[in-house]
Amino acid sequence: MSVCRLLCSVTFLFFLSGCNSLYQIAKEAHLIQNSYVKYQLNIDSDSKESTILVVLMADRFADQVNGFDAMIGQSEMTVHTTVSDKFLFIFDDRNMDLHFQPSEPYSLVELEPSSDLKIGPVILSNSGEYPHQLIGKSLKKVVNIQVSIVASGEVTDLSDSRFSEKQAEIGLWKPYTFFENGNSGLFFLSDFDSSKIPVLFIHGMKGTPREFASIIESIDRSRYQVWVVNYPSAVPLLLVSQGLNNMMSWIRKQYHFNGIHIVAHSMGGLVSKAYINQCTRNRTCNDILSFTSISSPFGGNKAASKGTKFAPVVVPSWYDLDPEGDFIKSLFAPQATLPPHLLIFGYKVRGVLNVESGDGVISLSSQLELRAQRQAKRIVGFNEDHVSILKNRNIQKELKEFWLNAENG
């Protein structure tokens, strides 16, 4: 859906439902924007074998554990805490069992939101205070996740109600509710098979995994297995990409696969690119065989920029679509090595109000942003609009050929 139409939808909602509906939308967006404090965490460790767990706690005794993140083979990460998180308990999970033992190096850090939001370098040792309640307990059992991407590797299918248009609508206007209802996560569409290559699909704004149904149906299931990501599209894109990074880190530890292809549509391409930037920088995703973006606004969306200034309610992710915003500007920072990128764009304009060439939603100038072209291995255009392009059979052929070339080096 275009941002222009989203803005119109907000205005329409205002007149149709009155102030209460608009208040609810604003309240949910406000919760997402103001529920997080973002810290830059640095651990004093050069070990590429370490699995560092970062536990988010409301108190120093771990009476309430709100979540945890993982640093696998890296010494730096961005930690998104909630306003209720007051302490970080950090330890080197040497046996990778999601349990803390006092023999494992650790550190207890009190959070100070009024500081410069940088933590560290944190030195892990076997001395000092630690929460005794965590000893020998699985983090999966003690965590009281408030807002998190929760499902990692759950097996389901595209008929799952969490992938419905109704839930996608909730994800756009009520992202907090979307999280609380357990709709977010990375899902498997079949039981994991170590002999098959995963293909991960990531939807865009107000999207669902069902949008990829035509492509998914065409995939050779004897060679590939399908994974999908579901997330509320109102959430800041860096938060989504960080959540994806954390989920993929855990899945790499829990399952053994030799490579993965990523396919993303529209805004999902920005989420994917940000994720690839993060894990490439940390050298934790050498197994990404290829990245395919379909109709992605790599140059941002001007309507989103206007929306942040004039709309009665601002969806948090709109800030990341601002062509002059930090997210878009940093999306194509120089990288040493990147997976081959297949950039697919559409150019069929629909509707009488479109004054700029594109696919009826995303302009050609944004889809073909120069920096994206320079990093792309192959660029292919189709006479399709923003939605119909996902059903084009020629794209299925392009993907098959591109994947095989990537797999063969």
Side-chain angles (χ1 to χ4, degrees):
M1 174 178 282
S2 71
V3 176
C4 281
R5 279 185 284 168
L6 289 177
L7 298 182
C8 291
S9 297
V10 175
T11 306
F12 179 72
L13 259 176
F14 176 75
F15 288 110
L16 182 65
S17 303
C19 294
N20 287 338
S21 294
L22 190 63
Y23 171 77
Q24 180 62 30
I25 295 169
K27 180 182 178 181
E28 296 261 354
H30 178 80
L31 278 171
I32 289 294
Q33 283 186 284
N34 295 280
S35 290
Y36 290 96
V37 181
K38 185 169 65 176
Y39 295 91
Q40 293 300 125
L41 175 62
N42 179 274
I43 303 295
D44 186 13
S45 173
D46 296 324
S47 174
K48 295 183 179 181
E49 303 299 325
S50 296
T51 299
I52 308 296
L53 296 187
V54 181
V55 186
L56 287 65
M57 308 187 305
D59 59 278
R60 68 174 63 245
F61 306 108
D63 289 326
Q64 180 177 327
V65 177
N66 294 329
F68 64 93
D69 280 320
M71 299 172 65
I72 302 175
Q74 63 195 83
S75 59
E76 296 182 355
M77 75 176 296
T78 301
V79 180
H80 292 88
T81 70
T82 67
V83 292
S84 66
D85 296 318
K86 305 301 181 185
F87 291 86
L88 297 182
F89 182 66
I90 307 164
F91 69 95
D92 187 346
D93 189 20
R94 291 184 168 177
N95 57 0
M96 293 182 293
D97 64 350
L98 285 182
H99 293 67
F100 168 65
Q101 290 89 28
S103 60
E104 295 171 324
Y106 61 87
S107 180
L108 182 64
V109 178
E110 184 170 3
L111 297 175
E112 299 179 7
S114 60
S115 68
D116 60 0
L117 303 184
K118 293 183 179 180
I119 303 174
V122 175
I123 299 175
L124 304 182
S125 68
N126 292 106
S127 62
E129 182 181 6
Y130 61 84
H132 291 262
Q133 292 203 52
L134 290 185
I135 297 176
K137 292 183 179 179
S138 172
L139 288 180
K140 286 188 175 181
K141 294 183 178 180
V142 301
V143 167
N144 174 30
I145 296 177
Q146 295 183 347
V147 179
S148 177
I149 296 179
V150 288
S152 295
E154 178 183 332
V155 179
T156 186
D157 56 49
L158 291 180
S159 66
D160 194 315
S161 61
R162 289 172 291 188
F163 304 158
S164 68
E165 291 185 5
K166 178 181 178 181
Q167 295 305 318
E169 187 86 20
I170 291 174
L172 179 63
W173 300 121
K174 300 180 180 181
Y176 211 86
T177 299
F178 188 95
F179 276 124
E180 290 182 327
N181 289 345
N183 293 327
S184 293
L186 192 157
F187 301 85
F188 294 176
L189 297 194
S190 62
D191 291 330
F192 177 79
D193 188 335
S194 60
S195 68
K196 298 178 182 179
I197 300 172
V199 181
L200 178 64
F201 289 89
I202 303 174
H203 66 74
M205 180 171 285
K206 203 187 173 186
T208 88
R210 292 180 185 176
E211 297 175 353
F212 298 103
S214 294
I215 296 176
I216 291 173
E217 289 173 3
S218 72
I219 291 177
D220 180 1
R221 293 300 188 96
S222 68
R223 185 179 182 86
Y224 301 103
Q225 56 189 318
V226 178
W227 300 353
V228 298
V229 170
N230 201 37
Y231 67 96
S233 55
V235 174
L237 301 189
L238 275 177
L239 183 60
V240 179
S241 63
Q242 180 65 49
L244 176 59
N245 190 17
N246 293 339
M247 283 192 296
M248 285 302 301
S249 293
W250 276 112
I251 285 177
R252 284 187 180 93
K253 287 292 182 180
Q254 295 170 353
Y255 303 94
H256 300 287
F257 55 93
N258 295 322
I260 184 171
H261 297 289
I262 297 177
V263 180
H265 178 237
S266 192
M267 191 176 74
L270 307 188
V271 171
S272 303
K273 186 65 174 70
Y275 157 62
I276 291 171
N277 289 346
Q278 292 171 22
C279 66
T280 299
R281 185 167 54 247
N282 295 323
R283 300 178 182 178
T284 58
C285 60
N286 294 330
D287 53 13
I288 297 181
L289 297 171
S290 76
F291 164 46
T292 298
S293 61
I294 304 173
S295 304
S296 292
F298 290 120
N301 190 301
K302 295 178 181 178
S305 177
K306 293 180 180 178
T308 61
K309 298 179 176 66
F310 304 114
V313 175
V314 176
V315 173
S317 59
W318 289 358
Y319 290 105
D320 295 327
L321 295 173
D322 183 350
E324 300 302 320
D326 291 339
F327 183 87
I328 293 296
K329 286 183 177 180
S330 63
L331 202 56
F332 288 92
Q335 298 282 337
T337 57
L338 289 167
H341 177 192
L342 170 58
L343 192 160
I344 296 176
F345 66 95
Y347 52 84
K348 184 176 183 179
V349 176
R350 295 187 63 179
V352 297
L353 296 178
N354 293 288
V355 295
E356 187 174 2
S357 59
D359 65 359
V361 175
I362 308 298
S363 68
L364 272 181
S365 61
S366 183
Q367 294 181 71
L368 295 175
E369 209 278 342
L370 183 58
R371 297 172 301 164
Q373 292 190 60
R374 287 173 174 167
Q375 286 193 1
K377 179 83 171 180
R378 178 169 170 74
I379 302 172
V380 185
F382 293 93
N383 185 25
E384 300 281 1
D385 63 34
H386 195 66
V387 177
S388 68
I389 195 168
L390 292 175
K391 298 180 180 179
N392 189 296
R393 293 189 176 182
N394 288 316
I395 285 184
Q396 299 168 12
K397 296 177 182 178
E398 287 285 342
L399 285 171
K400 181 178 179 180
E401 181 179 341
F402 193 69
W403 293 344
L404 288 175
N405 288 336
E407 291 159 22
N408 295 327

